[in-house]
Amino acid sequence: MTKFLLALHVLVAIVAVGPVTVAASMFPPAVRRAHEEATGVGTVRLLHRICRAYAAVGIAVPVLGVATGAAMGVLGDAWLTASMALTAAAAGVLAAFVLPRQGELLEELTGQGSVERRGTVQLAMFTGVFNLLWATVTVLMIVRPGSTTGA
């Protein structure tokens, strides 16, 4: 059961977090391009929809992670505690800063047809923080400092 949970956790992480990471990173330049060329709003809408949908699916990643950690008996390990805290921080950045700002920029783009570059730069910064948090979690999941599993 442990191997099944671990495999499911990793697969869901790849399938759910990967698209959010890529689409969120593509969003600010897509908004700038759509603003400059006065076209491409459909692309911006699609990227935002991808981020929202896969973020919802991404909720399964920490759920499966906790189940896997419990099955492996490592829930109290420092590397896992740090990973859970960083995952919560990444989810918070996505929910509080990335997705709402994407929605605001999309509304500005479709409503008035213009966006300030400052807004896209700020969104790119929040997206970078989100991506960095997930990259750190991924490294912790692989390296597992202090782990007694021998890996």
Side-chain angles (χ1 to χ4, degrees):
M1 185 63 158
T2 301
K3 289 182 182 185
F4 173 74
L5 284 172
L6 180 58
L8 197 56
H9 170 64
V10 170
L11 286 171
V12 172
I14 291 167
V15 169
V17 178
V20 173
T21 302
V22 172
S25 296
M26 292 173 65
F27 191 91
V31 169
R32 286 192 290 270
R33 248 187 331 275
H35 169 69
E36 292 167 4
E37 300 168 5
T39 60
V41 176
T43 300
V44 175
R45 259 193 209 100
L46 176 63
L47 290 171
H48 184 53
R49 194 174 324 129
I50 289 169
C51 289
R52 283 193 335 251
Y54 282 93
V57 174
I59 293 169
V61 175
V63 170
L64 289 166
V66 169
T68 303
M72 293 174 68
V74 295
L75 279 181
D77 289 5
W79 64 271
L80 190 57
T81 303
S83 293
M84 288 190 293
L86 291 170
T87 297
V93 169
L94 184 65
F97 299 105
V98 175
L99 294 176
R101 189 65 188 133
Q102 283 182 351
E104 291 168 8
L105 287 172
L106 185 56
E107 282 181 25
E108 288 175 23
L109 191 60
T110 55
Q112 59 199 41
S114 66
V115 293
E116 291 184 29
R117 182 167 174 83
R118 181 174 160 252
T120 62
V121 169
Q122 185 183 53
L123 175 59
M125 177 195 66
F126 290 133
T127 301
V129 169
F130 169 76
N131 292 343
L132 183 60
L133 288 166
W134 271 117
T136 305
V137 169
T138 302
V139 169
L140 282 172
M141 290 289 120
I142 294 167
V143 175
R144 299 178 295 174
S147 172
T148 59
T149 61

